[in-house]
Amino acid sequence: MSVLDIAKGMGVTLGHLFKRPVTVRYPEQPVDVKPRFRGRHHLLRHPSGLEKCIGCSLCAAACPAYAIYVEAAENDPDDPVSPGERYASIYEINMLRCIFCGMCEEACPTGAIVLGHEFELADFVYQDFTYGKDDMLVGVMGSKWQRREATQKGRDVRVGLSSGPRPELEGVDY
Amino acid sequence: MKVKVNDTELELAPGTSAIDAVFAAGYDVPYFCSQEYMSPIGACRMCLAKVGAPRQDRATGEWILDEETGEPKIFYFPTLMATCTTAIMEGMVIDTLSDEVRGAQNGMVEFTLINHPLDCPVCDKGGACELQDRAYEYGSGLSRFRFDKRHQEKHHALSELITLDRERCIHCKRCVRYFEEVPGDEVLDFIERGGHTYIGTLGEGLPSNFTGNITDICPVGALLDATSRFRGRNWEYDHTRTTGLDDASGSAIIVDARTGRIERIKAALNAEVNKSWIDDGTRFGHEYVDAEDRIKTPLVRKEGELVPVTWEEATGYVKAKLEGIADKELGIVLRADATLEEGVAAKALADHLQTGQLDHCPRPKASVLPEGDAARFTDLATADAIFVIGDVSEEVPAVDLRIKDALKGVSPPASLPHGVPIADLRLKERMPRKAGLLTVAAPYRVDLMRHAGRSVCYPVGGETAFLSALVKLATVEDELSEEEVAALGMPVDEGRALIERLAQAQNAVIVYGSFVLASPAARNAVIALAKAVKAKVMVMGPMANSYGLEAIGVMPSHARYSYQQMIRGGAKALILSGLDPAQDPSVAEALKDLELLVVHHHFANATTALADVVLPAKTGYEKDGTVVNLEGRYLPVRSAPVDGGQSEDFTGLVRYLGEALGVRLDGRSTRSAKRALNHLLAVDLRDLPDEGLLAKAKSRPLRRVSVKEQEAVSGNVLLVPSMVRPEFVSRNPQLRAAFGDVALCLHPDDADQMKLVGGERVRLSVDGTLRKATVRVSETVPQGIMLLPATPEQPVGLVSADLATLVKESSELEVA
């Protein structure tokens, strides 16, 4: 190793001193996740406002971590929750068990469940990791903890993403 | 006959269908319309195969030989054949693997799917659907159908218990044939033609006790169990094969449970007992298990209130109380659907506490054990003369179906390597029934009489006189007296004809149930009749294990120690399992004087209100054990995963109480109980096969009770057996919606006289107990008598009701 080699190495260091840093000041700054990143699940609705989920339990069957529990019920024809006869009366995902593999999304015959970009799911109590329909239906932003903090502090839910929703979810604002 | 299926040669009995030959050879062919125990009709055209056979020269009788090989030449049918309707022939060759056959099967799947909605994700059959499986195995996987599918009614309620989705129907005709061939009522049929065909009824609802079976046999999700609608997917259920404890038949059932609840019950196949059919009481009568108000922890009365405690504390309390009670003052009573293991446990407990006050309830006055030749279900199905006394369709509905098998005159099919034949070619649609071989006698018109060649309504309460008159006809040449002729309920010639028919038959069976068992004299008369005409007997006990509990001797050691005596002051302490005697106010008064009342039950009731200790009981779906059905067949009872809290069966109670008393009793677990039973009966009950075990018990009952002749009773209410158990009706809302509330049946003239109309809710004091019921007016009821379903506490028989206590309940009261 010669003096020249050391100078070369220091040159690289010096060069980087004047470049933009790649580290992100998370959580002060939001992060940018990749388009196909798989985070917290969203349950989508049809443009008519009806839920896409029909409570068929195929996601639960496909789930390798047994994280999903579904109970179905019959729609009231006058006030349906979803198109057709059947809807999910209970839809729960245990986020501690979930491995975010996206098999549920692949199994879903109606495209009702989609893994979004939200990833900040840390919480304090086991039972708070069980997300129900109210926590996942499209329009709900943030994890249970983030929403709890927002209500307590009386401000909007703040999620640490800058990339916006997944392409599948873009334009779904009902 | 020699048959060659693809490359496998096998030898089968003549008359076997080609589809069974294929399955017997270990090959598969798709089918939708064939069904075990039903006629093959070739409706779905799925089981196509290339079939050929050698031909004999008509002139010489020689086989026509192939000129090249010198072997018999195979002449193939010009088209592919539906194998389910093709009988095998000597030297037949069946090809199921060639491209031609696969192509045809593929095409049939495509045709079948043209009008099928493919809404598998929301269909309750999804995951257990024959069409799904066959489309996966034999279909092309792609649809070429680009047009609108047929649209029909999606949710048609055929009855309260069954929904029909007409879009999903593939017109296999199984349900239509089922009703005509199995229960023998033509209820459903195809309406319209071609693509517009749909299944429908002429009137409203499905008037049968066996409607649920069509949901099992429907190959698609067209006919579904409405009670389990959308409750879970097929792969999510825990399937437990067990024995139904709803009646004495020992029908095989599959209990499907999810998250600790029973969601549905399906029929299981037991070829020698219920085949693959069960009645609606067994199928739908399970809702009470998941009722909200079930007792799930032991309770002990402290300062007048029942307080939840642990089992140890409860049994410790019982032990402390027992110390002040002398031997023979404690009574132990089981419900008659308790398992043999529970019976052993109760016996061990009674022996340890040195009490003879041990009984099961309901226990008829006469023995339920058959004397002489006991008939099996197969004897019944092959009988050439059957004499029924009672209402089998309500008492043990499985017997009703096996009697209807006998009417068809087709013996049970021989088992093949793959099990029961898929297509039994001896069965046909609308077969003529040999009604002449069946005689039905009952005190009122019963359903089975519609199928009987001869039906008799003898006077109410007159079983003994009726049967004695028949015995006299069979044994003595003398003429009958006028009284005896009146008791016979039919012309004397008819009676003689019946006796002759029974005596001449090779295989005569006499079936009797609770009406006869209510009187020892009537039971002795029927046994005498059976001996006189050399008939086998089948006894329908009142509950699932009446036979077994009597056989192992869960009986009082003396007549004065019977249940009826115990609850009326005969005992100072009582352990009651599954019973509610305090509905009768006079009994409730007597129970108040007890020093200790332990009630082992699922629900709070009049008796638990008086109890010192209430222990949570397992239902028949949660127990492990063995029962003996009416044939004397040992059948396994297995526990389904149901959330019963801390409930235990009687073996559990004995285990905890034994621990408190510091003894290791027989029957402290099902294992130790089975050991004791092996000792007692010389039958190894461990690992019983699904179809049960027919074994002669080594010993007769250890303790026989001499039954005194009962005095003739009179009354105005006849308590009758019913398929729907009245004690659970209020907690089985869907069954109640379908079969109605507990019914008080009256003759129209009586109803007019009492100013009652059908559908009115009434309260009536029957034999001291206040019973609620809905009035049903029917011509089938004899005048001057009312019919009311029997409960365990009020067994079948004639009792009197005080008509002054009859109160109409207004409908507003019911809502409140």
Side-chain angles (χ1 to χ4, degrees):
Chain A
M1 196 158 68
S2 64
V3 178
L4 195 67
D5 289 337
I6 293 171
K8 254 187 189 169
M10 293 307 287
V12 172
T13 312
L14 269 172
H16 275 283
L17 270 178
F18 300 102
K19 276 186 181 163
R20 271 175 70 88
V22 290
T23 47
V24 181
R25 280 161 53 78
Y26 176 82
E28 281 77 24
Q29 273 181 10
V31 288
D32 188 12
V33 297
K34 294 286 179 261
R36 285 163 67 190
F37 178 86
R38 296 190 295 263
R40 178 179 72 79
H41 313 68
H42 295 269
L43 286 170
L44 306 192
R45 288 180 189 273
H46 285 288
S48 61
L50 292 177
E51 287 172 15
K52 282 190 177 175
C53 179
I54 50 170
C56 71
S57 255
L58 287 174
C59 47
C63 181
Y66 303 101
I68 308 181
Y69 177 77
V70 186
E71 251 182 50
E74 187 157 7
N75 267 321
D76 175 3
D78 301 325
D79 183 22
V81 178
S82 69
E85 297 171 286
R86 181 174 177 140
Y87 76 99
S89 57
I90 297 178
Y91 190 102
E92 285 176 351
I93 300 183
N94 184 339
M95 293 297 173
L96 283 175
R97 280 191 178 186
C98 179
I99 58 170
F100 301 95
C101 64
M103 300 276 259
C104 46
E105 205 179 303
E106 277 181 48
C108 187
T110 60
I113 188 159
V114 168
L115 275 71
H117 278 169
E118 288 175 23
F119 57 89
E120 296 145 312
L121 300 167
D123 215 321
F124 298 95
V125 190
Y126 277 138
Q127 66 191 32
D128 285 343
F129 287 94
T130 305
Y131 279 54
K133 267 171 89 173
D134 298 344
D135 305 311
M136 291 187 290
L137 267 172
V138 70
V140 174
M141 198 160 76
S143 66
K144 276 191 177 182
W145 176 78
Q146 285 166 328
R147 282 180 285 127
R148 208 162 53 230
E149 191 197 36
T151 14
Q152 276 166 8
K153 297 196 171 165
R155 64 174 192 215
D156 290 346
V157 177
R158 203 169 65 189
V159 292
L161 324 157
S162 61
S163 57
R166 264 181 70 169
E168 287 88 336
L169 286 165
E170 253 167 54
V172 185
D173 54 3
Y174 24 82
Chain B
M1 278 184 178
K2 271 206 173 64
V3 183
K4 190 175 173 192
V5 182
N6 300 326
D7 53 355
T8 310
E9 280 196 30
L10 67 164
E11 187 81 33
L12 288 166
T16 312
S17 61
I19 196 170
D20 281 314
V22 173
F23 276 85
Y27 287 97
D28 185 49
V29 69
Y31 65 94
F32 297 125
C33 65
S34 292
Q35 171 71 21
E36 291 99 0
Y37 304 120
M38 274 163 39
S39 64
I41 56 163
C44 71
R45 314 310 296 176
M46 267 312 302
C47 58
L48 296 175
K50 193 175 172 190
V51 180
R55 230 180 251 171
Q56 275 167 310
D57 192 315
R58 285 209 183 145
T60 62
E62 296 282 314
W63 292 108
I64 299 174
L65 299 181
D66 194 322
E67 281 168 16
E68 283 175 27
T69 57
E71 298 276 310
K73 190 179 175 189
I74 303 295
F75 293 86
Y76 282 97
F77 282 98
T79 57
L80 298 180
M81 297 295 284
T83 49
C84 67
T85 49
T86 309
I88 56 166
M89 287 183 271
E90 184 61 51
M92 185 180 254
V93 175
I94 305 168
D95 170 19
T96 65
L97 297 176
S98 63
D99 288 346
E100 185 189 0
V101 174
R102 295 304 283 239
Q105 290 170 346
N106 185 324
M108 273 323 297
V109 171
E110 198 171 10
F111 263 130
T112 309
L113 290 178
I114 276 182
N115 273 329
H116 192 76
L118 293 175
D119 52 357
C120 307
V122 294
C123 174
D124 273 343
K125 201 81 171 191
C129 175
E130 289 176 45
L131 182 59
Q132 257 185 344
D133 292 348
R134 295 315 192 175
Y136 182 75
E137 291 163 4
Y138 292 91
S140 67
L142 285 172
S143 174
R144 293 183 289 166
F145 192 72
R146 300 272 173 265
F147 314 95
D148 250 7
K149 295 203 174 196
R150 166 190 62 169
H151 285 291
Q152 280 186 329
E153 202 175 349
K154 290 288 286 177
H155 187 175
H156 177 82
L158 271 185
S159 75
E160 295 288 338
L161 302 169
I162 292 162
T163 43
L164 168 62
D165 186 321
R166 287 179 171 151
E167 281 187 4
R168 291 182 192 149
C169 178
I170 59 166
H171 308 138
C172 69
K173 214 183 174 189
R174 273 186 192 173
C175 51
V176 176
R177 282 179 291 147
Y178 165 79
F179 273 112
E180 190 271 314
E181 292 174 25
V182 180
D185 300 305
E186 287 191 57
V187 178
L188 292 176
D189 210 343
F190 283 142
I191 301 171
E192 295 278 0
R193 299 195 304 174
H196 305 287
T197 313
Y198 62 91
I199 297 289
T201 58
L202 267 182
E204 290 292 311
L206 300 173
S208 169
N209 282 358
F210 305 96
T211 59
N213 292 322
I214 56 174
T215 64
D216 282 350
I217 59 175
C218 184
V220 293
L223 290 160
L224 290 169
D225 179 343
T227 63
S228 69
R229 192 167 165 80
F230 300 154
R231 296 298 312 161
R233 306 310 304 273
N234 286 294
W235 58 86
E236 292 174 335
Y237 292 129
D238 290 304
H239 311 283
T240 310
R241 188 188 159 121
T242 177
T243 301
L245 298 187
D246 211 56
D247 58 44
S249 66
S251 299
I253 54 170
I254 293 171
V255 179
D256 284 355
R258 186 187 176 211
T259 56
R261 285 174 55 91
I262 296 181
E263 301 295 11
R264 69 171 177 207
I265 285 176
K266 288 166 63 170
L269 189 133
N270 190 343
E272 287 172 25
V273 179
N274 60 316
K275 304 206 288 185
S276 50
W277 319 123
I278 57 173
D279 60 280
D280 288 352
T282 305
R283 184 183 300 268
F284 300 109
H286 59 79
E287 277 179 284
Y288 73 93
V289 175
D290 304 309
E292 292 288 314
D293 57 343
R294 234 185 109 172
I295 299 173
K296 292 192 173 176
T297 53
L299 307 165
V300 167
R301 194 170 296 278
K302 288 178 182 167
E303 290 160 7
E305 289 290 312
L306 285 171
V307 186
V309 292
T310 59
W311 268 92
E312 285 80 3
E313 195 179 337
T315 46
Y317 179 89
V318 174
K319 184 212 167 198
K321 279 273 196 173
L322 280 176
E323 271 161 15
I325 292 160
D327 296 341
K328 295 182 184 153
E329 287 184 344
L330 169 75
I332 302 171
V333 190
L334 295 180
R335 201 173 129 107
D337 58 5
T339 60
L340 287 182
E341 283 76 358
E342 290 179 283
V344 166
K347 265 180 72 171
L349 185 63
D351 285 346
H352 175 72
L353 298 169
Q354 297 187 341
T355 176
Q357 305 213 33
L358 172 68
D359 207 346
H360 63 273
C361 171
R363 180 169 62 85
K365 293 194 180 104
S367 167
V368 301
L369 301 182
E371 214 169 287
D373 255 354
R376 314 284 185 219
F377 275 118
T378 32
D379 294 326
L380 196 60
T382 51
D384 47 1
I386 302 174
F387 180 34
V388 178
I389 307 134
D391 187 357
V392 285
S393 327
E394 294 291 335
E395 228 171 333
V396 185
V399 174
D400 176 286
L401 290 191
R402 298 315 295 262
I403 289 173
K404 284 167 184 168
D405 277 355
L407 299 186
K408 278 203 226 169
V410 178
S411 56
S415 186
L416 290 167
H418 57 281
V420 181
I422 295 160
D424 186 346
L425 292 169
R426 298 170 302 164
L427 295 170
K428 304 276 185 299
E429 280 188 283
R430 295 211 176 89
M431 286 180 87
R433 305 300 210 276
K434 299 175 188 163
L437 64 83
L438 176 64
T439 305
V440 180
Y444 52 95
R445 278 206 70 80
V446 297
D447 188 61
L448 192 61
M449 286 180 178
R450 291 189 291 124
H451 303 269
R454 187 183 291 111
S455 38
V456 191
C457 287
Y458 55 79
V460 176
E463 283 82 12
T464 313
F466 169 69
L467 289 164
S468 305
L470 279 178
V471 172
K472 198 169 173 191
L473 278 182
T475 51
V476 198
E477 285 299 307
D478 290 353
E479 288 298 310
L480 296 183
S481 70
E482 248 176 60
E483 279 169 24
E484 283 165 333
V485 173
L488 208 52
M490 58 180 158
V492 179
D493 293 346
E494 283 279 302
R496 281 193 204 283
L498 163 63
I499 297 291
E500 203 170 318
R501 175 100 209 194
L502 288 170
Q504 283 175 354
Q506 298 288 316
N507 248 328
V509 178
I510 297 180
V511 183
Y512 63 94
S514 302
F515 287 122
V516 173
L517 293 172
S519 150
R523 190 256 182 184
N524 290 342
V526 81
I527 296 288
L529 179 66
K531 281 198 180 129
V533 297
K534 294 193 180 60
K536 292 183 172 179
V537 292
M538 178 170 263
V539 193
M540 297 180 292
M543 273 199 184
N545 203 19
S546 293
Y547 188 117
L549 292 177
E550 190 175 329
I552 63 165
V554 182
M555 304 270 276
S557 62
H558 192 279
R560 70 170 185 274
Y561 288 161
S562 75
Y563 169 66
Q564 293 302 332
Q565 304 295 321
M566 279 185 226
I567 54 170
R568 290 186 171 82
K572 281 192 179 165
L574 268 179
I575 302 179
L576 300 177
S577 180
L579 297 165
D580 182 17
Q583 291 168 52
D584 184 342
S586 66
V587 173
E589 280 305 312
L591 293 179
K592 277 178 194 159
D593 297 336
L594 288 176
E595 285 176 31
L596 173 68
L597 175 59
V598 181
V599 181
H600 181 234
H601 206 285
H602 330 296
F603 299 109
N605 53 34
T607 313
T608 59
L610 304 170
D612 300 301
V613 179
V614 179
L615 299 169
K618 281 185 176 176
T619 62
Y621 307 102
E622 296 152 60
K623 289 175 188 172
D624 270 307
T626 315
V627 291
V628 186
N629 78 346
L630 48 73
E631 304 168 284
R633 184 189 297 268
Y634 296 88
L635 288 158
V637 178
R638 303 192 185 107
S639 59
V642 177
D643 176 20
Q646 296 180 43
S647 40
E648 290 281 353
D649 60 4
F650 209 79
T651 61
L653 188 152
V654 166
R655 178 170 66 250
Y656 280 112
L657 194 53
E659 275 168 18
L661 295 165
V663 284
R664 283 161 65 82
L665 298 169
D666 276 348
R668 61 190 175 274
S669 64
T670 45
R671 227 177 74 170
S672 88
K674 283 197 164 87
R675 249 193 325 264
L677 283 166
N678 196 357
H679 193 67
L680 188 70
L681 307 165
V683 179
D684 189 1
L685 299 176
R686 290 169 304 172
D687 304 321
L688 272 182
D690 281 344
E691 60 274 19
L693 181 70
L694 269 173
K696 271 251 183 291
K698 184 176 74 174
S699 60
R700 284 272 111 188
L702 305 176
R703 287 182 275 189
R704 292 304 295 263
V705 183
S706 60
V707 200
K708 277 193 209 152
E709 189 57 41
Q710 297 291 320
E711 285 169 32
V713 282
S714 62
N716 51 2
V717 172
L718 182 63
L719 295 166
V720 296
S722 80
M723 181 187 75
V724 179
R725 296 234 168 240
E727 63 267 35
F728 295 129
V729 159
S730 61
R731 290 188 177 86
N732 281 334
Q734 278 164 310
L735 199 61
R736 182 162 73 165
F739 287 94
D741 197 11
V742 175
L744 182 73
C745 292
L746 294 163
H747 190 271
D749 293 353
D750 290 343
D752 284 347
Q753 207 178 359
M754 292 160 73
K755 298 194 175 60
L756 290 173
V757 287
E760 256 180 323
R761 299 265 300 154
V762 291
R763 269 179 300 181
L764 176 69
S765 174
V766 178
D767 199 20
T769 303
L770 194 66
R771 295 283 301 265
K772 290 179 187 175
T774 304
V775 175
R776 193 181 291 167
V777 180
S778 167
E779 297 263 352
T780 61
V781 183
Q783 264 185 319
I785 203 89
M786 295 183 277
L787 307 184
L788 190 68
T791 64
E793 293 78 19
Q794 291 199 311
V796 173
L798 199 56
V799 292
S800 42
D802 185 1
L803 289 181
T805 61
L806 189 111
V807 184
K808 290 185 197 178
E809 277 181 24
S810 67
S811 49
E812 295 94 77
L813 204 74
E814 176 57 20
V815 173

